[in-house]
Amino acid sequence: MTQLQFKDIDPNDLLMFGRQRLAEGNKEIARKALETVVHKAPEHAQAYALLASISFQDGEDYQAEAYLDRAIALTRDAASHRKADMPTRASLANLLMARGETREAEGILAEVELPVYPVRATQGEFDQRIADARGRGMPGILINTVPKSASESIWNRFAEGFGLAQGHISLCLYPDCTVIPNRAAFAAEGGLIAKEHLPASSHNLTALKNAGLDKVLFHLRDPRQVVLSWTHFVRDDVSMRLMGPLWRKVVPPAGVLAGDFNKVLDWSVDNFLPMLVKFVQGWQKVAEDREIGIDVQFFTFEHFLEAPDTYFKDAFAFLGLDPAQFNADAEAEIVHLRRGEIEEWREIFSIEQKNRAWHALPADLAETHGWRK
């Protein structure tokens, strides 16, 4: 389909066409379709956001920022005129968070009300699981985790073993995942297990406490291995998602992504690792400061890999779950496991990368969690 043929298509239909082509990796056709959308319907904020994503992927950062500015302005205007339109307000918060406008985004998300959408289930199956689990007195559970740590598989095993519904209580992308208070309140009523990448921000801690989600199972992995797995993931997945490229904190510039794997790894060691350390430090502080009022216990990928039965036994005890209710034979999907090794980074990192990574790890944090040079 050519740009000339696009002119007779309804902008909304053309937007969906562009989204589909972009999801398939056909940026050239997607760009042409979306450019036609904004020419025919200049108020189409979603088209501008997608054009920003494509421009970031193509290394056109100046143009991308201009598109993102336009998307934010249009979405903000729409949200101001439709205050009851929760999805539009949530979209605005999402764009603002990607841009780094954290305070405004959190202010919006503190008031937005969004349902918990089912994960790995239809709405009917989700509702039935919630009802059944609450009938058995199952609490709401929060697994908070660093990226690329087998947490998806662990989440699935918890859910299937205890017959819990799965869903997310946050919005936005790591490291900016932000709690939606009404979702947290829904989870606290029981029957739901949420898996998140929540930073220990004041907004998130307040929302969790107010909801009554005052126990956090924090799943951790050696940050150097996380960096290696993230490098693969961001190159092969996140950087090509519809909106992933808008998150400049975690997605390398196009020039880096166009280089070899080692170039992307260098970027991750120097840019992604410090954010990861800050993320863990935030929750370490919560775990050590009882006045905050949230009970945090660290569990590790290494423990899960070497002694999974003990990992789950200890997790059940921390969460106050009855092991007798756990069906260990329930089939749970294993996902996002690239290789599942503990210290693959030692084989892949160069000497310089090993040294830089080690110096990025605070000594007290490394000692607490057993990370060795």
Side-chain angles (χ1 to χ4, degrees):
M1 187 176 293
T2 66
Q3 200 156 7
L4 183 62
Q5 292 172 303
F6 290 156
K7 68 181 181 64
D8 296 323
I9 301 176
D10 178 82
N12 292 316
D13 294 336
L14 195 52
L15 176 71
M16 294 306 299
F17 175 84
R19 284 177 60 91
Q20 290 167 356
R21 298 295 80 75
L22 183 55
E24 295 165 359
N26 194 332
K27 291 187 296 181
E28 182 179 355
I29 295 298
R31 182 193 285 271
K32 290 177 180 178
L34 295 166
E35 286 174 343
T36 305
V37 172
V38 298
H39 177 73
K40 297 174 68 172
E43 76 285 355
H44 242 304
Q46 290 183 52
Y48 281 108
L50 291 168
L51 283 168
S53 181
I54 293 171
S55 296
F56 277 129
Q57 289 183 53
D58 287 344
E60 301 168 358
D61 289 6
Y62 183 81
Q63 180 64 71
E65 294 289 354
Y67 280 139
L68 184 53
D69 283 343
R70 184 63 177 153
I72 290 173
L74 288 169
T75 309
R76 181 184 280 119
D77 183 65
S80 69
H81 288 90
R82 303 196 301 268
K83 295 188 181 299
D85 184 347
M86 297 298 171
T88 295
R89 295 174 68 190
S91 294
L92 174 59
N94 201 49
L95 292 173
L96 288 168
M97 196 66 83
R99 171 49 70 75
E101 301 291 340
T102 303
R103 181 170 296 183
E104 184 179 356
E106 287 181 341
I108 294 168
L109 294 177
E111 300 177 350
V112 162
E113 292 193 6
L114 294 173
V116 176
Y117 299 115
V119 173
R120 299 179 63 248
T122 65
Q123 186 66 55
E125 292 167 342
F126 177 87
D127 294 342
Q128 189 61 57
R129 280 209 172 201
I130 288 287
D132 291 346
R134 288 178 178 176
R136 290 183 280 114
M138 294 297 298
I141 297 172
L142 173 59
I143 299 176
N144 201 41
T145 173
V146 297
K148 311 315 300 169
S149 59
S151 57
E152 195 87 3
S153 298
I154 292 169
W155 184 33
N156 292 344
R157 187 166 178 188
F158 263 104
E160 296 306 323
F162 282 111
L164 297 165
Q166 292 173 270
H168 294 294
I169 64 170
S170 73
L171 194 69
C172 305
L173 189 67
Y174 177 86
D176 299 312
C177 298
T178 305
V179 174
I180 308 296
N182 80 287
R183 286 183 174 180
F186 177 85
E189 293 178 19
L192 180 82
I193 181 166
K195 192 269 297 183
E196 310 289 346
H197 301 306
L198 302 173
S201 65
S202 176
H203 169 97
N204 285 342
L205 296 177
T206 298
L208 293 176
K209 279 189 64 177
N210 288 346
L213 287 176
D214 55 3
K215 277 196 173 186
V216 176
L217 187 161
F218 193 101
H219 181 71
L220 184 60
R221 190 179 191 182
D222 187 313
R224 292 161 293 186
Q225 188 60 40
V226 173
V227 164
L228 177 57
S229 292
W230 178 263
T231 301
H232 283 282
F233 189 55
V234 74
R235 184 191 63 170
D236 301 334
D237 186 304
V238 179
S239 64
M240 297 184 290
R241 292 184 183 183
L242 288 176
M243 296 295 187
L246 302 186
W247 256 265
R248 310 314 298 155
K249 294 179 185 178
V250 293
V251 177
V256 173
L257 289 167
D260 61 17
F261 180 80
N262 194 63
K263 187 173 183 178
V264 185
L265 182 58
D266 264 334
W267 186 93
S268 296
V269 169
D270 294 334
N271 295 274
F272 185 78
L273 179 56
M275 283 188 295
L276 186 62
V277 167
K278 183 179 178 181
F279 182 80
V280 177
Q281 282 179 315
W283 284 103
Q284 187 71 47
K285 180 180 178 180
V286 175
E288 295 170 356
D289 188 347
R290 293 299 179 183
E291 292 187 5
I292 293 176
I294 295 180
D295 190 6
V296 180
Q297 188 162 320
F298 290 92
F299 290 76
T300 69
F301 168 84
E302 293 78 11
H303 186 192
F304 166 70
L305 201 63
E306 294 173 345
D309 291 342
T310 304
Y311 177 101
F312 283 102
K313 178 182 177 182
D314 293 345
F316 297 164
F318 168 65
L319 295 168
L321 301 174
D322 181 2
Q325 292 194 45
F326 184 73
N327 179 5
D329 296 325
E331 185 176 345
E333 182 182 7
I334 297 175
V335 293
H336 293 177
L337 279 179
R338 184 179 55 84
R339 293 184 64 177
E341 296 183 5
I342 292 178
E343 293 191 327
E344 181 193 3
W345 65 270
R346 293 190 182 277
E347 303 172 9
I348 305 300
F349 280 23
S350 67
I351 292 174
E352 291 79 9
Q353 288 165 344
K354 288 178 182 177
N355 288 334
R356 298 205 313 273
W358 178 247
H359 286 119
L361 300 180
D364 58 339
L365 207 62
E367 181 177 1
T368 297
H369 296 291
W371 302 329
R372 301 176 297 106
K373 185 174 182 180

